[in-house]
Short mmCIF file of all heavy atoms in Angstrom, two decimals:
data_model
loop_
_atom_site.label_atom_id
_atom_site.label_comp_id
_atom_site.label_asym_id
_atom_site.label_seq_id
_atom_site.Cartn_x
_atom_site.Cartn_y
_atom_site.Cartn_z
N THR V 4 92.41 119.39 101.91
CA THR V 4 93.52 120.18 101.40
C THR V 4 93.74 119.88 99.93
O THR V 4 94.07 118.75 99.58
CB THR V 4 94.81 119.84 102.16
OG1 THR V 4 94.49 119.80 103.53
CG2 THR V 4 95.86 120.87 101.90
N CYS V 7 97.93 121.34 94.40
CA CYS V 7 97.94 122.28 93.29
C CYS V 7 98.28 121.60 91.97
O CYS V 7 98.33 122.21 90.94
CB CYS V 7 98.95 123.39 93.53
SG CYS V 7 100.61 122.83 93.30
N PRO V 9 96.71 119.22 89.99
CA PRO V 9 95.54 118.37 89.84
C PRO V 9 95.81 117.23 88.86
O PRO V 9 95.71 116.08 89.21
CB PRO V 9 94.45 119.30 89.35
CG PRO V 9 95.12 120.57 88.95
CD PRO V 9 96.52 120.55 89.44
N TYR V 20 110.31 117.31 84.49
CA TYR V 20 111.61 116.69 84.78
C TYR V 20 112.71 117.30 83.90
O TYR V 20 113.85 117.46 84.33
CB TYR V 20 111.56 115.17 84.57
CG TYR V 20 110.99 114.44 85.76
CD1 TYR V 20 109.75 113.83 85.69
CD2 TYR V 20 111.70 114.35 86.95
CE1 TYR V 20 109.22 113.15 86.78
CE2 TYR V 20 111.19 113.68 88.04
CZ TYR V 20 109.94 113.08 87.95
OH TYR V 20 109.44 112.43 89.03
N TYR V 27 119.67 121.57 86.97
CA TYR V 27 120.93 120.92 87.38
C TYR V 27 122.02 121.22 86.36
O TYR V 27 123.14 121.57 86.70
CB TYR V 27 120.78 119.39 87.46
CG TYR V 27 119.77 118.91 88.47
CD1 TYR V 27 119.07 117.72 88.26
CD2 TYR V 27 119.52 119.61 89.64
CE1 TYR V 27 118.15 117.26 89.18
CE2 TYR V 27 118.60 119.16 90.54
CZ TYR V 27 117.90 117.98 90.31
OH TYR V 27 117.00 117.54 91.21
N GLU V 127 130.02 129.77 109.50
CA GLU V 127 129.47 128.62 108.80
C GLU V 127 128.06 128.87 108.28
O GLU V 127 127.42 127.98 107.74
CB GLU V 127 129.53 127.39 109.70
CG GLU V 127 128.46 127.27 110.79
CD GLU V 127 128.57 128.33 111.88
OE1 GLU V 127 129.66 128.92 112.04
OE2 GLU V 127 127.57 128.59 112.55
N VAL V 129 124.63 130.03 106.25
CA VAL V 129 124.21 129.92 104.86
C VAL V 129 123.64 131.25 104.41
O VAL V 129 122.84 131.85 105.11
CB VAL V 129 123.10 128.87 104.71
CG1 VAL V 129 122.79 128.64 103.25
CG2 VAL V 129 123.51 127.59 105.37
N GLU V 139 111.57 133.69 96.04
CA GLU V 139 111.74 132.25 96.24
C GLU V 139 110.56 131.43 95.73
O GLU V 139 110.71 130.25 95.46
CB GLU V 139 111.95 131.95 97.73
CG GLU V 139 113.26 132.44 98.28
CD GLU V 139 113.23 133.92 98.66
OE1 GLU V 139 112.18 134.57 98.49
OE2 GLU V 139 114.27 134.42 99.11
N ARG V 149 106.36 124.33 85.38
CA ARG V 149 106.77 125.51 86.14
C ARG V 149 108.29 125.60 86.24
O ARG V 149 108.97 124.63 86.50
CB ARG V 149 106.14 125.46 87.53
CG ARG V 149 104.61 125.54 87.46
CD ARG V 149 103.99 125.17 88.78
NE ARG V 149 104.33 126.13 89.83
CZ ARG V 149 103.64 127.23 90.09
NH1 ARG V 149 102.57 127.51 89.37
NH2 ARG V 149 104.00 128.03 91.05
N PRO V 222 121.09 132.17 94.30
CA PRO V 222 119.71 132.08 94.77
C PRO V 222 119.19 130.64 94.72
O PRO V 222 118.33 130.26 95.52
CB PRO V 222 118.94 132.96 93.79
CG PRO V 222 119.96 133.85 93.19
CD PRO V 222 121.24 133.08 93.17
N ILE V 223 119.68 129.83 93.79
CA ILE V 223 119.21 128.44 93.67
C ILE V 223 119.89 127.54 94.69
O ILE V 223 119.24 126.84 95.46
CB ILE V 223 119.48 127.89 92.25
CG1 ILE V 223 118.84 128.79 91.19
CG2 ILE V 223 118.96 126.47 92.12
CD1 ILE V 223 119.17 128.37 89.76
N GLN V 225 122.11 128.33 97.21
CA GLN V 225 122.56 128.97 98.44
C GLN V 225 124.09 128.93 98.49
O GLN V 225 124.72 128.13 97.83
CB GLN V 225 122.01 128.28 99.69
CG GLN V 225 120.50 128.20 99.67
CD GLN V 225 119.91 127.41 100.80
OE1 GLN V 225 120.61 126.78 101.59
NE2 GLN V 225 118.62 127.44 100.91
N ILE V 268 115.81 110.22 88.51
CA ILE V 268 114.99 110.36 89.71
C ILE V 268 113.55 109.94 89.43
O ILE V 268 112.86 109.39 90.29
CB ILE V 268 115.05 111.82 90.21
CG1 ILE V 268 116.44 112.10 90.77
CG2 ILE V 268 113.99 112.09 91.26
CD1 ILE V 268 116.70 113.54 91.08
N MET V 271 113.92 105.98 89.42
CA MET V 271 114.68 105.28 90.46
C MET V 271 114.68 106.11 91.73
O MET V 271 114.41 107.29 91.69
CB MET V 271 116.13 105.11 90.00
CG MET V 271 116.37 103.89 89.16
SD MET V 271 118.13 103.69 88.93
CE MET V 271 118.40 104.68 87.52
N THR V 273 115.98 108.55 94.47
CA THR V 273 116.90 109.69 94.34
C THR V 273 118.32 109.34 94.76
O THR V 273 119.28 109.87 94.23
CB THR V 273 116.41 110.83 95.24
OG1 THR V 273 115.07 111.08 94.91
CG2 THR V 273 117.23 112.08 95.02
N SER G 40 128.61 122.62 113.41
CA SER G 40 129.03 123.72 114.28
C SER G 40 127.86 124.57 114.78
O SER G 40 127.95 125.18 115.81
CB SER G 40 130.03 124.60 113.55
OG SER G 40 129.44 125.10 112.39
N MET G 159 94.32 118.66 109.84
CA MET G 159 94.22 119.29 108.54
C MET G 159 93.69 118.34 107.47
O MET G 159 93.72 118.66 106.28
CB MET G 159 95.60 119.84 108.12
CG MET G 159 96.10 120.93 109.04
SD MET G 159 97.87 121.29 108.82
CE MET G 159 97.86 122.09 107.23
N GLU G 196 111.73 109.77 99.53
CA GLU G 196 112.98 109.95 98.80
C GLU G 196 114.08 110.48 99.73
O GLU G 196 113.81 111.29 100.61
CB GLU G 196 112.78 110.94 97.66
CG GLU G 196 111.94 110.40 96.50
CD GLU G 196 112.65 109.31 95.72
OE1 GLU G 196 113.88 109.36 95.59
OE2 GLU G 196 111.96 108.40 95.23
N ASP G 204 120.12 121.59 94.26
CA ASP G 204 118.79 121.85 93.74
C ASP G 204 117.99 120.56 93.83
O ASP G 204 118.53 119.48 93.61
CB ASP G 204 118.84 122.33 92.28
CG ASP G 204 117.46 122.76 91.80
OD1 ASP G 204 117.10 123.91 92.02
OD2 ASP G 204 116.75 121.92 91.22
N GLU G 208 113.34 115.94 92.61
CA GLU G 208 112.85 115.20 93.77
C GLU G 208 111.45 115.69 94.16
O GLU G 208 110.54 114.89 94.42
CB GLU G 208 113.80 115.40 94.96
CG GLU G 208 115.09 114.62 94.88
CD GLU G 208 116.17 115.34 94.08
OE1 GLU G 208 115.86 116.29 93.34
OE2 GLU G 208 117.34 114.93 94.17
N LYS G 211 108.82 114.59 91.73
CA LYS G 211 108.43 113.19 91.92
C LYS G 211 107.41 113.07 93.05
O LYS G 211 106.40 112.38 92.92
CB LYS G 211 109.67 112.36 92.26
CG LYS G 211 109.38 110.87 92.32
CD LYS G 211 110.66 110.08 92.38
CE LYS G 211 110.39 108.60 92.33
NZ LYS G 211 111.61 107.81 92.32
N SER G 230 116.32 124.06 103.16
CA SER G 230 115.72 125.30 102.67
C SER G 230 115.54 125.26 101.16
O SER G 230 114.56 125.77 100.63
CB SER G 230 116.60 126.50 103.04
OG SER G 230 116.79 126.56 104.42
N LYS G 234 112.04 125.79 98.89
CA LYS G 234 111.91 126.71 97.75
C LYS G 234 111.42 125.96 96.52
O LYS G 234 110.50 126.41 95.84
CB LYS G 234 113.27 127.35 97.44
CG LYS G 234 113.68 128.40 98.43
CD LYS G 234 114.86 129.23 97.92
CE LYS G 234 116.15 128.50 98.01
NZ LYS G 234 117.31 129.30 97.64
N GLN G 238 108.05 126.36 94.21
CA GLN G 238 108.14 126.71 92.79
C GLN G 238 107.36 125.72 91.93
O GLN G 238 106.65 126.09 91.00
CB GLN G 238 109.60 126.75 92.33
CG GLN G 238 110.35 127.98 92.83
CD GLN G 238 111.85 127.78 92.88
OE1 GLN G 238 112.38 126.74 92.49
NE2 GLN G 238 112.56 128.78 93.37
N VAL G 239 107.47 124.45 92.28
CA VAL G 239 106.84 123.42 91.45
C VAL G 239 105.37 123.26 91.78
O VAL G 239 104.53 123.05 90.93
CB VAL G 239 107.59 122.08 91.63
CG1 VAL G 239 106.82 120.94 90.99
CG2 VAL G 239 108.97 122.19 91.01
N CYS G 240 105.05 123.35 93.06
CA CYS G 240 103.75 122.93 93.52
C CYS G 240 103.32 123.89 94.60
O CYS G 240 103.71 123.76 95.75
CB CYS G 240 103.91 121.51 94.06
SG CYS G 240 102.44 120.84 94.75
N SER G 241 102.52 124.91 94.24
CA SER G 241 102.49 126.07 95.12
C SER G 241 101.72 125.95 96.42
O SER G 241 101.92 126.74 97.32
CB SER G 241 102.01 127.28 94.33
OG SER G 241 100.80 126.96 93.70
N GLN G 255 118.31 130.87 110.59
CA GLN G 255 119.03 131.04 109.33
C GLN G 255 118.43 130.21 108.20
O GLN G 255 118.54 130.58 107.04
CB GLN G 255 120.53 130.75 109.49
CG GLN G 255 120.89 129.31 109.69
CD GLN G 255 122.39 129.07 109.44
OE1 GLN G 255 122.91 129.40 108.39
NE2 GLN G 255 123.08 128.51 110.41
N ALA G 260 115.36 130.28 103.03
CA ALA G 260 114.22 129.91 102.19
C ALA G 260 113.38 131.13 101.82
O ALA G 260 112.53 131.05 100.94
CB ALA G 260 113.37 128.87 102.89
N ALA G 262 110.76 133.88 101.12
CA ALA G 262 109.30 133.88 101.05
C ALA G 262 108.73 132.46 101.07
O ALA G 262 107.60 132.25 101.50
CB ALA G 262 108.85 134.61 99.80
#
Side-chain angles (χ1 to χ4, degrees):
Chain V
T4 315
C7 75
Y20 278 110
Y27 299 149
E127 78 293 339
V129 186
E139 291 82 0
R149 296 167 65 88
I223 304 175
Q225 304 174 353
I268 290 171
M271 274 189 273
T273 307
Chain G
S40 59
M159 296 166 71
E196 289 291 327
D204 186 86
E208 285 85 345
K211 187 169 185 177
S230 303
K234 286 193 284 185
Q238 285 157 3
V239 169
C240 177
S241 53
Q255 71 164 305

